[in-house]
Amino acid sequence: MQPFLFVNMDIELRKELIAYLSDFISESRLGRIEEILDLRTNHLTLVLEDLHKSHNANAVLRSADGFGIQDVYVIENQNEFDTEGTVSLGAHQWLTINRYNDPGKDNVSSCFQDLKSKGYTIVATTPHESDSTIHEIDASEKTALVFGTELEGISEQVKREADGFVKIPMFGFSESFNISVSAAVMMYELTNKLRSSGTHWGLSEEYKLLLKHQWIKQTIKAGDKLEEKFLKERNLSG
């Protein structure tokens, strides 16, 4: 998803704009958007470090959308993250993708600092550490799961800066799953635990309003132009 437009828009004005744009979509589509918003969470989030195979990256995004995980953080120190692959079936447009790819910054630390400022515990996935299995993770804590490159896994810097490590128990000769499989298994396990935990895992009302605005607008063929018309009629601009 592209960065939100008009993030600082007055809440009442945004509600008016949503009502205006809602006239251009069907009631069933609007109902589906509202239903999905109520099922979305950012209590659990994903961090993807330097994935270089677009089909894996997009498969992870498709799973994140399917399990109701809204926010994905992408670190691009060596590899550009491609969201245009067909495997995602457009899932990326419904997610909030936060990208860290500044060549002049420490992108791992920048990402982790942002996550920690939001209250996340950063748990890196690796089969080579023994801190926890996926069954032992406390779903009531805000958790950011970090996945590394397909071949080498998480970087040494991630290992140093993560709060802990997690792995999926393995019972065969292979010591790890493919990245997209690992991500799907962990999301399935943790979202199930989260939704039955009694923890408040839903999005804030303000965030849901932002997403509703964005999703309705991108559902409409001429959403940007209709929004522009609405704002011009009120002598407003971006």
Side-chain angles (χ1 to χ4, degrees):
M1 174 178 287
Q2 297 299 314
F4 292 116
L5 298 180
F6 314 117
V7 170
N8 296 318
M9 180 182 290
D10 176 79
I11 289 177
E12 293 307 314
L13 178 62
R14 192 182 302 280
K15 289 180 179 178
E16 288 183 32
L17 177 53
I18 288 172
Y20 170 76
L21 294 174
S22 295
D23 286 339
F24 298 91
I25 64 173
S26 67
E27 289 187 11
S28 61
R29 184 61 172 173
L30 180 60
R32 182 61 175 154
I33 286 173
E34 293 172 342
E35 178 186 359
I36 292 173
L37 281 171
D38 286 339
L39 296 173
R40 280 294 211 243
T41 186
N42 58 358
H43 193 87
L44 174 67
T45 191
L46 305 181
V47 181
L48 308 179
E49 183 193 26
D50 277 327
L51 299 193
H52 69 276
K53 294 182 179 179
S54 61
H55 66 277
N56 282 332
N58 283 281
V60 173
L61 296 186
R62 186 177 176 187
S63 293
D65 176 58
F67 288 117
I69 295 174
Q70 181 60 37
D71 296 349
V72 179
Y73 292 74
V74 176
I75 298 169
E76 301 170 273
N77 281 324
Q78 300 176 34
N79 303 313
E80 183 179 357
F81 190 77
D82 175 19
T83 60
E84 299 305 318
T86 58
V87 177
S88 75
L89 297 181
H92 65 278
Q93 67 182 313
W94 309 111
L95 304 175
T96 305
I97 300 176
N98 305 277
R99 304 180 77 150
Y100 296 79
N101 53 14
D102 191 329
K105 290 186 178 180
D106 182 341
N107 292 308
V108 171
S109 291
S110 294
C111 177
F112 284 11
Q113 287 169 10
D114 285 349
L115 288 164
K116 289 182 179 181
S117 72
K118 297 172 183 176
Y120 287 98
T121 297
I122 299 172
V123 181
T125 59
T126 171
H128 304 298
E129 302 288 345
S130 58
D131 277 19
S132 301
T133 69
I134 188 62
H135 308 302
E136 297 169 319
I137 295 294
D138 183 359
S140 67
E141 293 187 5
K142 290 184 71 174
T143 302
L145 289 175
V146 188
F147 297 88
T149 61
E150 292 87 345
L151 183 62
E152 298 178 353
I154 57 174
S155 66
E156 291 300 317
Q157 183 178 3
V158 168
K159 289 181 181 179
R160 292 194 301 271
E161 297 188 20
D163 298 313
F165 301 94
V166 65
K167 62 183 179 180
I168 299 170
M170 301 290 295
F171 304 100
F173 291 106
S174 300
E175 72 171 12
S176 66
F177 291 111
N178 172 280
I179 173 66
S180 60
V181 174
S182 293
V185 169
M186 291 196 179
M187 282 187 275
Y188 175 77
E189 174 73 16
L190 291 182
T191 55
N192 272 347
K193 289 171 68 174
L194 178 60
R195 293 177 193 278
S196 61
S197 67
T199 300
H200 177 69
W201 48 262
L203 302 178
S204 70
E205 291 304 313
E206 183 177 0
Y207 193 14
K208 286 164 70 173
L209 202 63
L210 278 168
L211 288 170
K212 187 175 183 179
H213 173 192
Q214 185 78 11
W215 291 358
I216 291 173
K217 186 174 69 171
Q218 68 191 30
T219 297
I220 302 167
K221 186 175 182 180
D224 286 326
K225 291 183 178 179
L226 287 169
E227 180 174 84
E228 184 179 351
K229 177 184 176 184
F230 173 90
L231 294 172
K232 281 185 176 180
E233 288 175 351
R234 287 155 180 76
N235 296 316
L236 299 170
S237 66

